[in-house]
Amino acid sequence: MICLPKTILFFALITLGTLSARAQTLSKDELTYLTSEWKGERFPDGRPKISDDLLRRAREVNTEEAWTILRNEGYTCQFERGWKIIHPDQPLVGRALTAMYLPSRPDLEKLVKDRGAKQGRIGNTNAWPIDQLGKGDVYVADGMGKITDGTLIGDNLGNSIYAKTGTGVVFDASARDLEGLRRIEGFNAFVRDWDPSYLKESVLMGLNTPIRIGKAIVMPGDLVLGRSEGVVFIPAHLAEKVIQTAEFIALRDKFGISMLKAGKYTPGQIDSQWTDAIKEDFLKWLDKNPNEIPMKRAELDAYMKNRTW
């Protein structure tokens, strides 16, 4: 699969924006259509609502496993690297709430703000996405990669974001007040850089629309998994599969390491297709180590029944 050139995606997003009756926000019907492979619960705005349990379990998924599983499913534009991170050792996990910014021009910005005021929106347009955030959301913004005058938040907005979400942000743009943001316990940010300037000459043109973050395409409601290597944006309808598969791989690895340490099997046996004898030993190991299983045992049994392992 070839990732879309930014110019093509740009015009596609502008077209989508013009279809909406509510500023630059997609209608619930349109968002539901664009994420129609998701069959679960949704937020009132139409975003897929990945369960809190899956969000909790996703914190243990590593970047390589998630990337490999998505690539095997044909999703090749879901990872982006090259971030400045407040806490590289702290994973960022949540449901994407997306925003797209464009360079401002006086006539366009006036119309956007006038319409926003009629809808009850308050403040500059970079505050509007924050007003829509909820617990477990991650504010993901395409800020054109702008550094100077591209600071979408400082520590004041950072505190508001964390109070609403308990997570953090991913910005293809910059942020300011690094020291203040560091003092927000639990908050994390993946940004292109830090800069002391204020946001200038940028206007919000997409809210809860498809966006592009570097080489990655992000849909509202995607599962955001940020680690030191970069950020993986997992389509909501694949979140459970990615998490379950990653959890199973981790269980296999723990069992394999224990068998290698005990000298019962060779590396060649563990790293190849398992024999029936190894599978039987694995099941016995699971019975003896139930605390190692991150999912319900019935869920694990169903997973193993339906897949080659």
Side-chain angles (χ1 to χ4, degrees):
M1 179 182 292
I2 299 174
C3 299
L4 289 173
K6 190 124 185 176
T7 53
I8 295 176
L9 188 63
F10 170 83
F11 287 113
L13 292 175
I14 290 297
T15 301
L16 284 173
T18 62
L19 296 176
S20 173
R22 297 189 64 231
Q24 289 63 246
T25 305
L26 290 183
S27 69
K28 181 178 180 179
D29 288 345
E30 183 70 7
L31 183 50
T32 300
Y33 174 74
L34 292 176
T35 56
S36 56
E37 292 196 51
W38 169 260
K39 306 303 181 185
E41 185 180 357
R42 291 180 180 270
F43 287 101
D45 60 14
R47 278 189 304 145
K49 187 178 182 181
I50 296 170
S51 71
D52 291 339
D53 179 60
L54 286 178
L55 294 185
R56 175 186 60 80
R57 289 158 58 186
R59 297 182 68 83
E60 303 303 320
V61 176
N62 68 47
T63 303
E64 292 75 18
E65 289 168 356
W67 180 88
T68 300
I69 297 163
L70 289 175
R71 193 170 186 84
N72 289 340
E73 292 289 326
Y75 289 77
T76 60
C77 298
Q78 301 306 132
F79 173 75
E80 179 65 6
R81 67 175 67 83
W83 302 101
K84 299 290 182 70
I85 311 170
I86 292 182
H87 301 293
D89 58 344
Q90 175 182 311
L92 176 63
V93 175
R95 311 174 189 92
L97 186 142
T98 63
M100 181 186 68
Y101 292 85
L102 293 180
S104 184
R105 49 182 272 177
D107 56 343
L108 181 62
E109 183 162 355
K110 181 180 184 302
L111 291 170
V112 169
K113 289 184 175 179
D114 285 349
R115 185 163 56 185
K118 292 176 183 177
Q119 296 169 348
R121 301 189 189 276
I122 301 171
N124 196 19
T125 59
N126 66 314
W128 297 0
I130 299 173
D131 293 335
Q132 294 193 205
L133 291 169
K135 194 61 66 177
D137 286 341
V138 174
Y139 177 12
V140 183
D142 175 5
M144 308 168 289
K146 189 176 179 181
I147 306 302
T148 302
D149 300 333
T151 52
L152 293 179
I153 64 166
D155 56 357
N156 287 338
L157 293 184
N159 273 284
S160 177
I161 291 167
Y162 188 72
K164 289 173 174 288
T165 67
T167 60
V169 302
V170 178
F171 290 161
D172 189 3
S174 59
R176 65 195 312 272
D177 298 326
L178 171 59
E179 294 306 316
L181 291 172
R182 275 182 177 154
R183 288 193 289 269
I184 307 172
E185 186 173 353
F187 177 83
N188 207 354
F190 288 65
V191 302
R192 291 308 187 189
D193 213 333
W194 307 100
D195 198 81
S197 60
Y198 290 94
L199 183 66
K200 187 178 179 182
E201 297 178 352
S202 296
V203 62
L204 180 71
M205 283 301 298
L207 181 54
N208 265 342
T209 64
I211 62 171
R212 180 172 173 176
I213 300 293
K215 297 181 294 297
I217 295 175
V218 189
M219 293 294 294
D222 277 359
L223 173 60
V224 179
L225 176 60
R227 291 190 175 278
S228 56
E229 302 95 330
V231 185
V232 183
F233 302 98
I234 302 169
H237 67 280
L238 290 176
E240 185 172 16
K241 183 173 186 177
V242 169
I243 292 167
Q244 283 185 342
T245 303
E247 289 173 338
F248 182 69
I249 292 170
L251 280 174
R252 275 182 53 118
D253 289 345
K254 288 180 181 180
F255 164 77
I257 290 170
S258 70
M259 294 297 102
L260 291 171
K261 287 182 176 179
K264 185 165 185 178
Y265 295 109
T266 68
Q269 289 173 306
I270 291 296
D271 288 341
S272 301
Q273 183 69 37
W274 283 359
T275 64
D276 289 341
I278 297 177
K279 291 179 180 179
E280 185 63 30
D281 281 338
F282 179 59
L283 293 174
K284 292 177 181 177
W285 180 84
L286 291 174
D287 290 336
K288 292 179 180 178
N289 298 276
N291 292 334
E292 297 286 355
I293 304 175
M295 63 189 85
K296 295 178 181 178
R297 181 57 190 267
E299 188 179 352
L300 175 61
D301 290 341
Y303 177 90
M304 292 188 293
K305 182 179 179 180
N306 295 323
R307 288 168 175 81
T308 300
W309 54 281

